[in-house]
Amino acid sequence: HVTPCERFNSLREGARSASALTHDSSAGTDVTGGRCCPRQPGCTQQQGHDTAALPSSNSIPMILNNAVNPNTIFANNEMSLQDIEIYGFDYDYTLAFYSSHLHTLIFNIARNILIEEHRYPEGLKEYDYIPNFVIRGLHYDVQKALLMKIDAFHYIQLGTVYRGLNPVPDKEVIAMYEGSHVPLEIMSDFYGKSSHGHTMKQFMDIFSLPEMTLLSCVNDYFMKHNIDYEPVHLYKDVKEAIGDVHVKGILYRAVEADIEKYICYGEQTHAVLRKLSENGKKMFLITNSPFDFVDRGMNYIVGKDWRDLFDVVIVQADKPGFFNDRRKPFRRVTDNGVLLWDRIHKLEKGKIYKQGNLYEFLRLTGWRGSKVLYFGDHIYSDLADLTLKHGWRTGAIIPELRKEIKIMNTEEYIHTMTWLQGLTGLVERMQVYRDPDSQAVVQEWIKEREEIRSQTKGFFNSQFGSLFRTYHNPTYFSRRLSRFADIYMASLSCLLDYDLRHTFFPRRNPLQHESPFWPEQGGLTFGTHQA
């Protein structure tokens, strides 16, 4: 028979081995102030303190043995590959993956455009790109010049609000927003943009990392030099400069000139396309990038015969407009980039098409409904309309997933999360004791819990934490991912581990009012991801 004290001490000793936690064991004290429960140091189960639901240190080896494979494909919605006849792909960060040099390139070019064309101070040249300063999915308050992480319930994660390169104190954030909730009317619009009165912009694609960093650096410079500026103008100028990097072709020419520096060799991408082709699957490509850029990259990744693998290739599609605007017809593009004027009556293999719209695509191909699976990295521009309006199955490519899973598989992270869940369970159960001594200890636990919650953020990103979690809640990014993607994975190469008749089943995670039905769910609960 295990008493509550023994159970709690077992948990405490297991968590102590985590390097992220420090307890003064020499003084015989810990988070409980030297006591294992809110009553007396030697309390027993007869005193009614039920800690049976807390994880013991014995659960830690079990969790470690159930480490998640980073190459797993995860399901939000049940889907069988046996039903999929046609596979579609975006290009950037779906078929082609880029090195970190690309973000530095975009940052430097856009910074110089601000200085040379928008007459921003020369002192901005002192700023270089800061890798890992920001993460994808952040919101930017255009009027207040604040970058922040927001959860699925529109609450700001305190401690993740930055003005320039510096954090904003929680009290100041609460004063500005009259709390930490962001009302629906000022949140970003459906596609994450700040328009029609929405003052928040959400940065959803990987190309936005240098844009967020540049915004932060320019804000930092103006504040350091006490320059009075209008945040809305700054945001629009940075947005325009970043847009020019793409629209004017500066980025494309730079990548094509040194393709080995910027594009990661895609041997596994090639293997995926070959596998689908050999199994008789039809394939198409819809990208916003120009043909010359795509052709150069695909020659490097797949080979000069890459076009033989695709039944339809569409470039400069202007997504997400491609999925909604019926007015733009397709145009043929020759291998030399010449636009033809003839009407398109069918989409032919081996030929290249520009612009167009999805409605015309559906009419010409007949590829409708759940037999089509489309992969992309942008939750809004690539996937949202396809799943909501057209019933295609969708797959999200989330490169950050592999790194986050590896972190969650570490012993240090598991120990920390086990301890955090234990503290949460203690606070939840012991809060019913209202005498001063009990409440004092509970308050110590609450303080310790908040400290550990802040520490967990640093496992993933020192400023903003995990892409997927704001402490225990999903991020706003996660909410959109779960709604618009049937499946998600770190890269297309994950498909190589699955038979093309495989069915993906989402985990039946218990709702808050349900009990876990399966033993492994109960056991793994204590490894819950928080950041």
Side-chain angles (χ1 to χ4, degrees):
H1 183 72
V2 181
T3 68
C5 288
E6 291 169 335
R7 192 66 183 273
F8 177 75
N9 287 333
S10 175
L11 168 64
R12 179 184 58 196
E13 292 306 315
R16 267 182 174 162
S17 62
S19 61
L21 300 175
T22 57
H23 299 285
D24 186 5
S25 57
S26 62
T29 61
D30 54 35
V31 63
T32 67
R35 290 172 292 176
C36 64
C37 70
R39 294 294 185 180
Q40 299 300 318
C43 75
T44 64
Q45 193 165 4
Q46 281 72 26
Q47 292 173 288
H49 294 54
D50 178 14
T51 57
L54 297 177
S56 71
S57 58
N58 293 330
S59 66
I60 293 174
M62 181 186 70
I63 297 170
L64 287 169
N65 291 333
N66 283 278
V68 178
N69 183 350
N71 294 318
T72 301
I73 295 177
F74 303 93
N76 292 319
N77 192 20
E78 186 173 326
M79 189 191 79
S80 176
L81 292 180
Q82 192 165 0
D83 299 330
I84 306 301
E85 300 173 12
I86 305 110
Y87 287 77
F89 305 92
D90 181 31
Y91 175 69
D92 297 302
Y93 288 106
T94 300
L95 293 174
F97 280 82
Y98 298 97
S99 71
S100 58
H101 297 296
L102 187 69
H103 293 160
T104 301
L105 175 69
I106 294 172
F107 178 93
N108 290 341
I109 296 172
R111 180 199 59 202
N112 294 341
I113 289 175
L114 283 178
I115 296 169
E116 296 164 9
E117 299 183 18
H118 295 268
R119 299 185 178 182
Y120 274 61
E122 288 280 339
L124 287 175
K125 288 185 177 179
E126 299 173 3
Y127 289 86
D128 294 319
Y129 180 66
I130 309 171
N132 302 318
F133 176 69
V134 295
I135 61 172
R136 196 154 50 126
L138 299 178
H139 279 79
Y140 184 75
D141 190 321
V142 175
Q143 294 181 345
K144 294 182 175 68
L146 297 176
L147 192 63
M148 66 191 75
K149 190 165 80 169
I150 295 177
D151 73 10
F153 301 96
H154 295 194
Y155 281 91
I156 300 166
Q157 181 177 358
L158 297 177
T160 69
V161 181
Y162 275 71
R163 181 185 288 116
L165 299 175
N166 297 301
V168 180
D170 293 347
K171 288 184 179 179
E172 187 177 337
V173 173
I174 291 170
M176 282 189 288
Y177 291 95
E178 298 181 348
S180 59
H181 183 262
V182 180
L184 179 63
E185 60 265 22
I186 71 170
M187 284 290 288
S188 52
D189 68 10
F190 181 78
Y191 294 107
K193 298 179 180 179
S194 59
S195 59
H196 308 298
H198 300 277
T199 61
M200 290 282 189
K201 154 74 178 178
Q202 189 180 19
F203 292 98
M204 288 295 279
D205 69 334
I206 303 173
F207 279 129
S208 66
L209 298 179
E211 182 176 357
M212 285 186 279
T213 306
L214 183 58
L215 271 170
S216 299
C217 289
V218 178
N219 275 309
D220 184 74
Y221 180 88
F222 283 171
M223 288 186 296
K224 277 185 176 178
H225 293 82
N226 296 314
I227 299 173
D228 187 27
Y229 68 101
E230 171 54 60
V232 175
H233 298 332
L234 186 151
Y235 166 74
K236 290 182 177 178
D237 289 345
V238 170
K239 178 183 176 182
E240 184 177 329
I242 290 286
D244 285 347
V245 176
H246 296 270
V247 174
K248 293 183 178 180
I250 305 170
L251 171 68
Y252 303 130
R253 290 192 294 272
V255 172
E256 290 177 48
D258 196 353
I259 202 160
E260 293 184 1
K261 178 178 180 180
Y262 295 109
I263 294 185
C264 302
Y265 182 59
E267 182 177 348
Q268 290 184 312
T269 297
H270 189 189
V272 170
L273 297 176
R274 288 290 181 193
K275 177 179 179 178
L276 296 175
S277 178
E278 290 168 0
N279 281 272
K281 305 298 181 182
K282 294 185 179 298
M283 289 183 282
F284 63 91
L285 172 65
I286 301 178
T287 176
N288 286 349
S289 295
F291 173 68
D292 288 345
F293 180 71
V294 174
D295 186 50
R296 184 85 169 85
M298 290 297 284
N299 283 340
Y300 178 71
I301 296 169
V302 177
K304 294 187 179 299
D305 61 343
W306 71 269
R307 287 162 63 179
D308 295 339
L309 296 171
F310 291 90
D311 296 271
V312 178
V313 175
I314 299 167
V315 298
Q316 293 176 278
D318 192 28
K319 296 177 292 181
F322 179 87
F323 300 125
N324 297 290
D325 192 345
R326 299 171 182 261
R327 296 170 297 177
K328 293 181 180 179
F330 287 108
R331 292 195 74 170
R332 268 279 318 280
V333 184
T334 68
D335 290 351
N336 297 323
V338 177
L339 292 172
L340 304 181
W341 48 263
D342 51 317
R343 186 187 295 273
I344 304 300
H345 294 284
K346 61 179 179 177
L347 300 176
E348 301 179 58
K349 186 171 184 175
K351 295 182 179 179
I352 306 299
Y353 301 91
K354 178 184 176 181
Q355 293 182 340
N357 65 83
L358 184 65
Y359 298 93
E360 190 70 1
F361 179 89
L362 297 175
R363 185 183 70 82
L364 294 172
T365 63
W367 295 344
R368 299 176 182 274
S370 57
K371 66 181 179 181
V372 184
L373 171 58
Y374 185 79
F375 292 97
D377 69 292
H378 198 301
I379 309 301
Y380 298 142
S381 296
D382 289 325
L383 309 180
D385 289 309
L386 292 177
T387 189
L388 291 176
K389 298 179 181 179
H390 303 285
W392 283 10
R393 309 312 293 264
T394 51
I397 304 299
I398 314 291
E400 301 94 334
L401 192 61
R402 185 169 279 117
K403 176 185 175 183
E404 292 218 5
I405 289 174
K406 288 180 179 178
I407 291 170
M408 289 188 290
N409 284 341
T410 62
E411 186 171 352
E412 181 182 9
Y413 179 84
I414 291 170
H415 273 297
T416 303
M417 293 312 304
T418 304
W419 178 247
L420 179 58
Q421 293 294 86
L423 276 176
T424 302
L426 284 168
V427 171
E428 182 178 16
R429 288 176 175 273
M430 301 307 179
Q431 63 183 324
V432 298
Y433 298 97
R434 297 298 178 181
D435 60 280
D437 286 346
S438 297
Q439 282 299 301
V441 175
V442 170
Q443 288 304 313
E444 290 178 15
W445 288 341
I446 291 173
K447 181 181 178 182
E448 175 81 359
R449 178 175 179 265
E450 289 305 309
E451 291 174 354
I452 299 174
R453 274 157 58 102
S454 296
Q455 290 172 10
T456 59
K457 184 181 73 172
F459 279 108
F460 302 95
N461 176 278
S462 299
Q463 292 72 237
F464 300 100
S466 166
L467 174 63
F468 303 96
R469 287 274 186 188
T470 56
Y471 297 139
H472 54 282
N473 284 340
T475 57
Y476 195 84
F477 177 93
S478 285
R479 179 185 181 183
R480 307 304 255 180
L481 173 66
S482 63
R483 178 64 185 91
F484 299 142
D486 291 296
I487 57 175
Y488 64 99
M489 65 206 77
S491 71
L492 280 177
S493 63
C494 298
L495 279 170
L496 295 174
D497 295 334
Y498 293 86
D499 184 88
L500 292 183
R501 294 167 294 181
H502 186 87
T503 299
F504 297 101
F505 296 96
R507 252 183 228 165
R508 184 187 171 93
N509 291 322
L511 300 175
Q512 294 299 312
H513 64 279
E514 296 177 331
S515 295
F517 292 101
W518 310 113
E520 63 269 19
Q521 287 181 303
L524 291 176
T525 298
F526 305 118
T528 302
H529 176 186
Q530 301 192 31

